[in-house]
């Protein structure tokens, strides 16, 4: 496994509005992650209602926004608030990545939280198959196929 | 066939009692080499490669270097030997030369035996009969004098992070360690004393001048090893340290020919392979050897290999085959030396502990850096504040250590004070814990830290420990056919790095800033831009799982248990369930290392070579 040894020295500068969006999401994420896991899952499921699945690019952008807005979100062990903040940042613009809590498939037991979009892990090590998902909150299935169909065109 | 035994030497004072021991030794082991005092009695006896020893002789004076040194060292020594009246006055010589070596002198029978300033080369001494004998290997001295392993030293080792001064304790009754930076002086009659010849520098040099000094020292450290030419090999792990060495070694292709070696591991998790390939693209004319992942030995493979006798238990026990696999491939290719980046982390990654004293000197900068470390490592505020506020001295910190503190310290948690709270394994016996309590209490009244600040102390303690472990790694490399070398552990390199202001070396926003600056222009920018680092906890867990039956069976007949230090049943239980978190950290490796060290020592007592 590779780990990050230094904070980014040159932070990407985002415009004020997206930064405010991420700041709001980070604050909300900090509050939400005080909840017990099942309550957090329920709350996120409710928040995700009405959102469309985020694309890989949208989720990646949200992640960069969160990391550049909050220093604490860069931490080795900040995966839980970070993943929630990324999901919420997407949600403010109407999208939702799949929020996951799980562990590596192989030992040691390594609890982790992250987000995925288009079946790809966003900013994480390892590939899709190397992680086991214990809790996931995906964007809700659309009621009809029309929206999904139109978004792939 | 090359000599696969590890090199070692004994040093004898110029008197009849010591000469009798030396004669007996040479009679029993006629293939050992020997160098005499001016009187004709034996001075140095041991085993070494011819090029690893140089001796200057003038009148009643002898000065020698053993180890890695420049080819013109003989002239330097001869000049010094001509005017030498007292071996105690040789303090300034060692740091004028690049490399890693012992400095030995004999003037009218008076001795000087000196290792390196920062622990990469050590000196020990003992008495056998009436004779003082010094040497570079505690294990060989113990065998020569037929000494027993010290149960208390083993118990101390089981603590894992051993606080100074307990870490200086040798594993045998009767053998004394000469601390790093200190030389052993002895009169002809053999009365020994320790003489401090080097103190680590004050960290005052600003980054620009410091980087230039680091650059010069590193270039010299690599040059001294490539100068003899031929074929050499080097790790190219993808990390900054080994990458630096490869670029320096390839700088003058007219010297040694280089093969850069990479073992990538599982690349979906570990970025090392990608970075190594990028570096190799920028190393024209250098062959890049990549070990297929399936050929990489797993952790704990060969943990019971007991053919090497070490001065102390070593964590290498869990990874020996893994650590030496590249060297063994390169030995088959005819490499004469294999470079490793060991020590680079200790010098350039930097310990945040330095912020403890920086807060008093530059509070605004220190608090900003602390804020960064808190974010990066997710440290809670309360323990950070508590540790910063604790301005007591080293003795108070040592007195406050408890071996029975049930709350284990958080791995990766803040460590800004003099000492990290020990986390003792659950399988240590009550006897072992009481023994440790007594030893800790006895050490408090006279304990002195290695440096004036918690940062410097922590850094030096880690470096001394690495020097010891690296000796084991070098021996393991030689056993597979090629000596390993760690240029980052050369005195001059460490000296240059430690002279630099800590705020220019330790920064959560920059990865190894001093090394990056020092190598600007010698190593391509792309390779210097890396800010991640490979780590092997997953592989270690997998290895533990694979070897769990053998590891469980090991405790059926444990020597540590017979010594009353560990509970065999508890160890069997915990090894059988290889997922236990207690097996994952250094507590288990320390125990395994101590067990295997004791077995090897007991089975090979008495026989040299």
């Amino acid at each position: 496994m590779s780990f990050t040894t230094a904070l980014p020295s040159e932070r990407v500068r985002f415009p004020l509005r997206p930064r405010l969006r991420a700041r709001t999401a980070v604050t909300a994420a900090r509050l939400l992650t005080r909840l017990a896991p099942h309550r957090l899952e329920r709350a996120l499921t409710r928040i995700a209602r009405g959102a469309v699945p985020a694309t890989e690019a949208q989720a990646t952008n949200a992640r960069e926004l969160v990391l550049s807005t909050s220093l604490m979100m860069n931490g080795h062990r900040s995966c839980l608030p970070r993943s929630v903040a990324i999901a919420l940042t997407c949600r403010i613009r109407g999208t939702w990545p799949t929020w996951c809590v799980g562990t590596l498939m192989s030992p040691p037991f390594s609890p982790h939280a992250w987000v995925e979009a288009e079946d790809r892990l966003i900013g994480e090590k390892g590939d899709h198959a190397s992680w086991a998902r214990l809790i996931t909150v995906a964007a809700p299935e659309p009621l009809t196929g029309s929206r999904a169909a139109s978004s792939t065109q | 066939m090359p000599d696969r035994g590890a090199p070692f030497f004994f040093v004898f004072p110029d008197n009849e009692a010591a000469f009798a021991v030396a004669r007996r030794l040479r009679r029993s082991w006629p293939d050992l080499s020997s160098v005499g005092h001016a009187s004709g009695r034996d001075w140095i006896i041991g085993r070494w490669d011819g090029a690893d020893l140089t001796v200057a002789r003038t009148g009643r004076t002898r000065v020698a270097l053993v180890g890695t040194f420049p080819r013109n060292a003989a002239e330097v020594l001869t000049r010094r030997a001509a005017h030498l009246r007292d071996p105690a006055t040789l303090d300034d010589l060692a740091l004028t030369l690049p490399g890693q070596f012992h400095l030995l002198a004999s003037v009218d029978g008076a001795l000087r035996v000196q290792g390196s300033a920062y622990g990469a080369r050590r000196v020990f001494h003992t008495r056998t009969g009436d004779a003082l004998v010094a040497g570079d290997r505690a294990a060989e001295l113990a065998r020569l004098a037929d000494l027993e392993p010290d149960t208390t030293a083993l118990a101390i080792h089981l603590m894992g992070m051993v606080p100074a001064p307990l870490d200086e304790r040798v594993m045998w009754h009767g053998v004394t360690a000469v601390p790093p930076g200190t030389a052993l002086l002895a009169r002809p009659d053999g009365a020994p004393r320790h003489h401090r010849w080097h103190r680590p520098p004050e960290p005052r040099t600003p980054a620009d001048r410091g980087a230039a000094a680091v650059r010069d020292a590193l270039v010299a450290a690599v040059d001294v090893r490539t100068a003899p030419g031929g074929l050499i090999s080097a790790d190219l792990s993808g990390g900054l340290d080994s990458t630096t060495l490869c670029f320096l070694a390839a700088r003058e292709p007219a010297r040694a020919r280089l093969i850069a070696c990479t073992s990538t591991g599982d690349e979906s998790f570990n970025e090392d392979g990608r970075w190594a390939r990028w570096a190799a693209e920028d190393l024209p004319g250098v062959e890049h050897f990549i070990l297929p992942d399936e050929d990489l030995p797993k952790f704990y493979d060969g943990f019971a290999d007991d053919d090497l006798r070490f001065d102390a238990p070593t964590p290498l026990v869990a990874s020996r085959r893994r650590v030496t696999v590249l060297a063994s491939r390169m030995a088959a290719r005819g490499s004469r030396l294999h470079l490793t980046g060991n020590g680079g982390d200790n010098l350039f990654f930097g310990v945040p502990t330095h912020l403890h004293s920086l807060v008093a000197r530059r509070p605004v900068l220190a608090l900003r850096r602390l804020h960064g470390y808190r974010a990066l490592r997710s440290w809670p505020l309360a323990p950070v504040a508590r540790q910063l506020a604790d301005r007591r001295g080293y003795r108070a910190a040592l007195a406050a250590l408890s071996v029975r503190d049930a709350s284990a310290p958080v791995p990766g948690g803040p460590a800004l004070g003099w000492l990290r709270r020990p986390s003792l394994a659950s399988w240590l016996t009550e006897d072992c814990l009481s023994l440790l309590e007594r030893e800790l209490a006895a050490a408090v009244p006279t304990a002195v830290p290695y440096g004036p600040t918690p940062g410097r102390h922590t850094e030096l303690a880690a470096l001394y420990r690495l020097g010891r472990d690296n000796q084991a790694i070098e021996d393991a490399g030689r056993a597979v056919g090629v000596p390993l070398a760690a240029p980052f552990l050369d005195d001059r390199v460490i000296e240059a790095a430690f002279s630099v202001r800590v705020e220019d070396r330790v920064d959560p926003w920059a990865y190894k800033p001093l090394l990056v600056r020092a190598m600007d222009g010698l190593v391509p920018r792309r390779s210097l831009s890396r800010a991640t680092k490979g780590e092997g906890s997953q592989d270690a867990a997998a290895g533990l799982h694979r070897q769990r039956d053998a590891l469980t069976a090991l405790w059926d007949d444990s020597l540590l248990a017979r010594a009353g230090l560990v509970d065999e049943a508890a160890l069997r239980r915990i090894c059988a369930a290889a997922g236990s978190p207690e097996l994952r950290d250094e507590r288990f490796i320390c125990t395994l290392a101590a067990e295997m060290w004791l077995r090897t020592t007991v089975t090979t007592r008495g026989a040299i070579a």
Side-chain angles (χ1 to χ4, degrees):
Chain A
M1 183 87 83
S2 297
F3 68 95
T4 305
T5 51
L7 296 165
S9 52
E10 288 163 29
R11 282 206 256 167
V12 194
R13 278 277 151 221
F14 286 93
L16 182 64
R17 280 167 73 92
R19 265 192 290 149
L20 283 175
R21 184 150 48 90
R23 172 60 54 197
T24 311
V26 166
T27 308
R30 286 179 177 229
L31 293 172
L32 281 169
T33 49
R34 291 185 190 165
L35 296 174
H38 65 287
R39 286 186 204 280
L40 176 60
E41 181 186 2
R42 216 178 307 154
L44 291 181
T45 307
R46 204 166 303 149
I47 292 168
R49 251 179 231 163
V52 299
T55 63
E56 189 184 1
Q58 286 165 337
T60 303
N61 177 265
R63 185 173 192 275
E64 283 168 7
L65 199 49
V66 164
L67 291 183
S68 83
T69 304
S70 163
L71 192 62
M72 291 316 250
M73 292 294 128
N74 288 271
H76 294 161
R77 281 175 297 193
S78 312
C79 62
L80 187 62
R82 181 170 58 227
S83 58
V84 172
I86 296 168
L88 294 178
T89 304
C90 287
R91 184 63 188 89
I92 297 174
R93 298 290 292 272
T95 68
W96 187 261
T98 301
W99 177 79
C100 307
V101 173
T103 174
L104 281 175
M105 290 295 272
S106 54
F109 176 71
S110 333
H112 190 45
W114 67 96
V115 301
E116 303 176 354
E118 300 180 89
D119 281 345
R120 273 191 288 273
L121 281 74
I122 305 301
E124 301 289 339
K125 301 290 180 324
D127 45 38
H128 196 261
S130 44
W131 293 94
R133 288 147 191 81
L134 303 174
I135 305 175
T136 57
V137 176
E141 291 290 320
L143 291 174
T144 66
S146 61
R147 189 192 267 166
S150 64
S151 72
T152 56
Q153 277 170 4
Chain B
M1 166 141 169
D3 181 3
R4 300 208 159 182
F8 69 90
F9 62 80
F10 298 119
V11 183
F12 299 92
D14 194 4
N15 62 46
E16 267 311 315
F19 188 40
V21 177
R23 246 185 337 224
R24 208 165 53 236
L25 177 68
R26 274 198 291 123
R27 212 172 308 133
S28 320
W29 306 100
D31 58 336
L32 295 182
S33 309
S34 161
V35 179
H37 285 286
S39 66
R41 294 191 186 109
D42 289 295
W43 174 34
I44 314 170
I45 298 181
R47 184 169 57 210
W48 51 79
D49 297 335
D52 290 350
L53 174 92
T54 184
V55 188
R57 300 178 172 85
T58 58
R60 306 274 299 155
T61 300
R62 304 277 180 276
V63 182
L65 298 182
V66 190
T68 303
F69 44 79
R71 281 185 292 185
N72 68 356
E75 299 153 31
V76 179
L77 292 192
T78 306
R79 270 202 305 280
R80 284 306 294 269
H83 301 107
L84 192 64
R85 296 287 164 267
D86 178 357
T89 60
L90 267 180
D91 289 0
D92 57 320
L93 177 61
L95 271 162
T96 61
L97 298 168
Q100 269 174 46
F101 47 79
H102 284 87
L103 170 64
L104 312 176
S106 155
V107 182
D108 273 331
L111 277 189
R112 181 187 184 108
V113 186
Q114 168 182 322
S116 62
Y118 296 94
R121 306 226 165 209
R122 303 298 302 263
V123 173
F124 303 91
H125 55 95
T126 187
R127 295 198 87 87
T128 170
D130 285 336
L132 168 83
V133 187
D136 65 332
R137 303 289 184 127
E140 299 298 347
L141 283 171
R143 204 189 313 234
L144 178 76
D146 195 22
L147 302 171
E148 295 280 342
D150 176 0
T151 308
T152 306
L154 270 167
I156 289 170
H157 180 86
L158 293 173
M159 287 179 80
M161 289 301 284
V162 181
L166 300 186
D167 59 346
E168 275 295 320
R169 183 153 179 158
V170 181
M171 303 301 292
W172 288 270
H173 289 291
V175 181
T176 306
V178 180
T182 303
L184 172 72
L185 298 178
R187 295 198 307 261
D189 65 5
R193 76 186 168 90
H194 290 184
H195 163 75
R196 183 76 180 244
W197 65 273
H198 178 77
R199 281 181 198 282
E202 290 287 320
R204 291 212 180 113
T205 313
D208 48 353
R209 265 196 296 134
V214 166
R215 178 189 183 104
D216 292 348
L218 270 174
V219 166
V222 173
D223 281 356
V224 74
R225 291 169 170 97
T226 54
L231 177 68
I232 66 164
S233 48
D235 284 349
L236 178 60
S237 69
L240 206 47
D241 308 319
S242 64
T243 301
T244 293
L245 295 183
C246 284
F247 279 96
L248 293 182
R251 206 170 42 99
E252 287 188 51
R255 295 183 165 203
R257 198 156 57 79
L258 176 70
I259 305 179
C261 307
T262 302
S263 66
T264 61
D266 177 355
E267 290 200 56
S268 60
F269 281 97
N270 195 329
E271 298 175 2
D272 279 356
R274 175 150 51 94
W275 286 90
R277 276 190 293 270
W278 279 344
E281 279 172 20
D282 293 326
L283 280 166
V286 172
E287 180 182 338
H288 189 201
F289 170 81
I290 301 181
L291 185 80
D293 193 25
E294 62 273 19
D295 290 1
L296 180 65
K298 304 286 183 277
F299 277 100
Y300 295 96
D301 281 4
F303 72 86
D305 293 353
D306 60 357
D307 55 324
L308 291 179
R309 299 175 316 261
F310 299 119
D311 283 348
T314 164
L316 185 64
V317 71
S319 56
R320 185 171 144 197
R321 292 195 189 162
R322 203 173 160 92
V323 166
T324 56
V325 62
L326 290 173
S328 107
R329 297 297 176 95
M330 291 301 111
R333 292 283 304 273
S335 167
R336 65 167 177 82
L337 189 70
H338 187 89
L339 305 181
T340 76
N342 291 356
D345 285 344
N346 292 58
L347 301 187
F348 301 110
F349 199 27
V351 287
T353 316
H354 280 299
L355 300 176
H356 187 273
S357 56
L358 195 66
V359 159
R361 198 155 53 81
R362 298 185 62 182
V364 176
L365 177 75
L367 291 175
R368 200 182 110 78
R369 296 275 164 97
L370 267 175
H371 181 59
Y373 277 115
R374 275 192 59 219
L376 185 64
R377 304 190 181 182
S378 309
W379 288 344
L381 185 58
V384 169
R386 207 166 42 236
Q387 291 177 13
L388 281 185
D390 185 352
R391 312 309 283 185
R392 292 176 304 170
Y394 184 71
R395 273 177 212 167
L398 190 61
L401 280 194
S402 161
V403 300
R404 293 174 199 274
D405 195 341
S407 62
V410 188
L416 301 169
W418 289 103
L419 290 167
R420 206 171 237 286
R421 195 146 46 94
S423 154
L424 295 189
S426 63
W427 50 76
L428 301 189
T429 59
E430 179 52 40
D431 286 356
C432 182
L433 294 179
S434 323
L435 191 59
L436 290 175
E437 261 176 350
R438 281 202 302 278
E439 288 299 315
L440 277 169
V444 170
T446 55
V448 218
Y450 289 127
T453 65
R456 184 42 65 89
H457 168 75
T458 306
E459 204 165 59
L460 284 170
L463 202 57
Y464 297 158
R465 183 184 167 117
L466 175 67
R468 193 183 68 199
D469 292 340
N470 193 62
Q471 177 81 72
I473 293 175
E474 288 185 11
D475 288 353
R478 196 176 288 264
V480 300
V482 54
L484 300 182
F488 285 109
L489 291 177
D490 284 9
D491 283 349
R492 293 229 310 211
V493 176
I494 298 169
E495 179 86 353
F498 278 10
S499 299
V500 174
R501 301 188 311 182
V502 294
E503 56 268 45
D504 294 334
R505 194 156 57 91
V506 186
D507 182 352
W509 276 275
Y511 182 48
K512 300 189 176 175
L514 180 61
L515 181 61
V516 166
R517 201 160 169 165
M519 286 302 119
D520 189 22
L522 290 176
V523 175
R525 286 269 161 86
R526 177 166 64 172
S527 288
L528 290 178
S529 70
R530 183 170 182 189
T532 59
K533 189 172 169 54
E535 168 257 15
S537 62
Q538 254 181 300
D539 301 339
L544 206 50
H545 196 72
R546 262 164 60 101
Q547 296 288 348
R548 65 189 182 283
D549 291 344
L551 286 167
T552 308
L554 184 70
W555 310 109
D556 286 343
D557 188 21
S558 158
L559 294 185
L560 286 181
R562 252 192 265 168
L565 298 176
V566 303
D567 176 349
E568 295 174 278
L571 272 160
R572 272 197 299 273
R573 211 162 44 238
I574 212 154
C575 286
S580 164
E582 227 183 333
L583 295 182
R584 261 189 248 163
D585 54 40
E586 64 175 4
R587 288 176 281 184
F588 179 65
I589 291 189
C590 281
T591 305
L592 182 65
E595 175 72 28
M596 293 316 302
W597 178 87
L598 193 53
R599 287 184 186 208
T600 311
T601 303
V602 169
T603 53
T604 59
R605 262 182 75 193
I608 285 182

